[in-house]
Amino acid sequence: MTCLPAPGAKKLGLVIDLDTCVGCQACATNCKEWNTSGHSAPLPDFKPYAAGQEGVWFNRVHSFEAGEGEAGRTVHFPRSCLHCETPDCVTVCPTGASYKRAEDGIVLVNHDTCIGCGLCAWACPYGAREMDDDQGVMKKCTLCIDRIYNENIPEAQRQPACVLTCPTKARHFGDLGDPDSAVSRLVAERGGQPLMPELGYNPVNRYLPPRKKALPPNAPVEDAPTPMDIRNPLLRWMDRVLSR
Amino acid sequence: MNPAPSIVFFTTASGAGYGLLFWLGLLRPLGLVPGSQGFGLTALGLALVLITAGLLSSTAHLGNPQRAWRAVSQWRSSWLSREGVAALGTYVPAVLFGLGLLADLPGLTAAMGLLAAAGAVATVYCTGMIYASLKPIKEWRHPLVVPGYLLLGAFSGAALLAMLGGFWGDGAVPAVLALLAGIAALVVKNAYWGAIDQAPPVATAESATSLGFIGKVRPLEPPHTETNYLLREMGFRIARKHAEKLRLLALAAGFGAPAALCAFALLVGGGMGAAALTLGAVLALGGLLVERWLMFAEATHTVTLYYHGS
Ligand code: SF4
Ligand code: SF4
Ligand code: SF4
């Protein structure tokens, strides 16, 4: 059914910290690694060992420059499905293959009924859907539905692959519908932002803004070197002799 | 957006087919086109061939064409699904219309002709709405997109009907309609192109990244060095100067010239008139292909904000 379900209380999603993301591509790589044998497996690669290689990825890490001069920043920016609350990627689907789960808000594709028309990818403003040209069906981030509810893995690992692998802990997973959850508190504390809110898709994922650069009030003044700044004893002796 | 040949051909061919079906279904009961059985069946046959070829071509664009039947299930929310329902539904009165013509049953023919005409309008309206409902693509969200699809279908259909009418010795009424629709198409497309050139973007690199509070946002490093589905499908860009030339070509050769040829045919009539109407119909279809190609090539998707910053 591609009509949207009534809004549920639970809204699972990601919170991505643009302050600490270092653009290492670990989340994109581990996403590919997990998902190529997970719910939406496989994630094909074409011409993997030749020029012009390309493939399906659920997570793409961009880098941007924002602002000018001293105030300017380089910001690394992971982009994946935002599991929007009112996404047209679901309602435009002619077959019912694209759907949003009522119980937790995860947006998924049924690969057994998708006809590969591509309309849902056109309807996603964020570029979160990529066609698997091998199977002829649409694929997208599953919020690692096969990890977060997976009772065969230790409880601590029931988190999306991208979240677990991030070396700077820039990715957080949780229920953004619960105002007391850790992710909701993080969003409240740090002023987490939605992307392209003007399109009205009501994304669930939030991006934490880079913190303000801590500029010292006055530029540091360098002290004149003292004899003790010279570490080498021989040079220190020469300095003393020559300074007489 | 990538102007995939299968979709460009589909919307042009089936648009013209539905236009032809519309005018035939409407004008024949009114006695405004040749009333012979041969004319009716030929025109209906051509309409159904164009419609069917277009629909088949659109399934060539699917990743799993064998599952295409599933596409009629989500008419509650999806314009693509509604288009499928309307397209299939229109076959019913269209085929009964043909049976009415064959068996020479004027009552059935008139009723089914009018129903088929209504189905044709509904189908083309749904086609237009598929595009007009896509929020990330500002060139398609425009209020002139749906009227444009309807008008161009009517124009090409009238041009084809006038051509066939010319062969049967009387294409006057459809020629007048094609003339008027051609002029209307000129005006509407010109207004549309002017409007999309001025239209503000639906989103910016700043809002797409939430980094606007720092300042202007520009892409520094892309996530991948080679292309991908998103860039192939949504990153297609046409150079401004080519777009301008193609717009002029569509306006002059695709809409203006067929309108002029219709006027010429109305004046001279006879064999010369039929030849002019034939040339007009061919030019109209050619112009429509150019217009449809531009419809895709000029459309921009918000995902390119992440890759190109605009
Ligand atoms: S990010 Fe795109 S694919 Fe994901 S829910 Fe929103 S619109 Fe749909
Ligand atoms: S590509 Fe598949 S999931 Fe997307 S709209 Fe078409 S049928 Fe639905
Ligand atoms: S939640 Fe899972 S599928 Fe989605 S981006 Fe992270 S690793 Fe990939």
Side-chain angles (χ1 to χ4, degrees):
Chain A
M1 261 307 281
T2 54
C3 287
L4 290 170
K10 201 165 169 188
K11 298 174 194 169
L12 295 185
L14 299 174
V15 172
I16 295 171
D17 191 341
L18 297 180
D19 192 67
T20 52
C21 173
V22 290
C24 68
Q25 309 275 345
C27 57
T29 312
N30 201 21
C31 169
K32 176 92 170 171
E33 168 71 21
W34 174 260
N35 284 290
T36 202
S37 45
H39 175 275
S40 302
L43 304 194
D45 287 306
F46 302 96
K47 299 196 219 151
Y49 306 112
Q53 68 269 50
E54 63 168 274
V56 175
W57 295 66
F58 295 166
N59 188 9
R60 303 266 189 187
V61 184
H62 298 249
S63 297
F64 294 99
E65 278 177 339
E68 308 292 335
E70 277 279 293
R73 305 275 306 240
T74 298
V75 183
H76 304 293
F77 185 94
R79 176 174 60 78
S80 56
C81 174
L82 309 164
H83 297 280
C84 306
E85 287 184 67
T86 47
D88 286 359
C89 64
V90 170
T91 51
V92 299
C93 174
T95 62
S98 182
Y99 64 105
K100 183 170 175 72
R101 284 160 49 112
E103 61 268 43
D104 52 17
I106 298 180
V107 174
L108 289 175
V109 176
N110 179 345
H111 301 120
D112 294 331
T113 54
C114 171
I115 57 174
C117 67
L119 192 58
C120 55
W122 292 0
C124 170
Y126 309 99
R129 293 172 170 248
E130 299 192 12
M131 183 77 82
D132 174 344
D133 284 320
D134 203 28
Q135 279 186 290
V137 296
M138 193 57 74
K139 299 208 167 162
K140 66 177 292 300
C141 159
T142 64
L143 206 60
C144 284
I145 193 151
D146 40 14
R147 295 191 63 90
I148 58 178
Y149 294 117
N150 191 338
E151 297 191 346
N152 298 315
I153 56 179
E155 201 172 340
Q157 288 191 19
R158 292 178 205 160
Q159 298 257 327
C162 57
V163 171
L164 283 178
T165 206
C166 178
T168 63
K169 284 220 154 293
R171 303 178 72 101
H172 307 265
F173 160 75
D175 180 6
L176 286 141
D178 169 7
D180 295 324
S181 68
V183 277
S184 294
R185 286 205 303 272
L186 196 56
V187 168
E189 265 166 39
R190 295 273 309 278
Q193 298 294 318
L195 304 182
M196 285 192 247
E198 63 271 47
L199 271 120
Y201 283 50
N202 293 308
V204 167
N205 287 11
R206 286 288 183 273
Y207 284 74
L208 305 180
R211 292 183 174 89
K212 290 245 152 30
K213 226 192 300 191
L215 288 173
N218 304 309
V221 188
E222 199 155 334
D223 284 335
T226 69
M228 285 316 283
D229 284 335
I230 303 170
R231 288 280 163 86
N232 185 321
L234 183 65
L235 290 179
R236 201 156 60 222
W237 174 79
M238 275 178 62
D239 179 65
R240 217 162 44 222
V241 172
L242 293 173
S243 310
R244 261 185 211 141
Chain B
M1 303 292 292
N2 173 28
S6 61
I7 306 197
V8 171
F9 175 76
F10 154 59
T11 58
T12 306
S14 66
Y18 284 118
L20 179 55
L21 181 62
F22 169 75
W23 289 121
L24 180 69
L26 191 69
L27 300 181
R28 198 175 183 283
L30 299 175
L32 295 175
V33 286
S36 76
Q37 192 189 44
F39 174 81
L41 285 175
T42 310
L44 178 65
L46 179 60
L48 290 179
V49 164
L50 283 170
I51 291 169
T52 311
L55 291 178
L56 286 179
S57 142
S58 77
T59 60
H61 154 89
L62 301 178
N64 276 290
Q66 78 285 4
R67 297 178 185 163
W69 60 271
R70 291 186 185 274
V72 294
S73 65
Q74 302 302 311
W75 49 270
R76 279 185 214 80
S77 71
S78 162
W79 283 105
L80 178 53
S81 192
R82 288 172 196 159
E83 184 200 40
V85 172
L88 291 182
T90 303
Y91 274 106
V92 177
V95 167
L96 290 174
F97 180 45
L99 289 179
L101 283 168
L102 267 179
D104 201 12
L105 301 167
L108 180 74
T109 314
M112 289 305 132
L114 290 174
L115 262 183
V121 176
T123 311
V124 176
Y125 179 79
C126 292
T127 309
M129 281 308 292
I130 295 173
Y131 299 96
S133 63
L134 291 170
K135 297 188 187 106
I137 304 161
K138 74 163 190 203
E139 290 80 0
W140 290 354
R141 276 294 273 179
H142 198 274
L144 284 178
V145 164
V146 176
Y149 268 85
L150 288 167
L151 187 59
L152 292 178
F155 165 59
S156 50
L160 284 171
L161 194 62
M163 173 186 85
L164 294 177
F167 296 162
W168 263 264
D170 179 18
V173 173
V176 170
L177 291 168
L179 170 64
L180 295 176
I183 294 168
L186 248 161
V187 173
V188 166
K189 282 313 288 192
N190 207 27
Y192 167 76
W193 281 324
I196 59 167
D197 288 345
Q198 304 296 320
V202 285
T204 60
E206 288 73 35
S207 72
T209 56
S210 76
L211 295 173
F213 76 99
I214 305 177
K216 186 107 191 83
V217 173
R218 11 181 222 287
L220 179 64
E221 270 186 293
H224 39 94
T225 52
E226 303 288 332
T227 188
N228 70 350
Y229 170 74
L230 299 172
L231 287 173
R232 277 186 288 112
E233 188 71 9
M234 280 159 289
F236 187 94
R237 297 225 161 163
I238 173 175
R240 188 55 176 247
K241 57 175 198 283
H242 296 325
E244 243 138 51
K245 280 197 194 122
L246 288 170
R247 284 179 182 184
L248 267 178
L249 182 71
L251 288 179
F255 308 152
L261 284 165
C262 285
F264 173 74
L266 284 169
L267 288 177
V268 299
M272 276 287 274
L277 290 173
T278 310
L279 181 60
V282 171
L283 283 175
L285 288 182
L288 237 65
L289 281 176
V290 175
E291 183 272 343
R292 243 1 96 74
W293 190 87
L294 275 176
M295 186 83 191
F296 281 85
E298 290 198 282
T300 55
H301 192 281
T302 50
V303 69
T304 58
L305 294 171
Y306 294 105
Y307 285 95
H308 308 310
S310 62

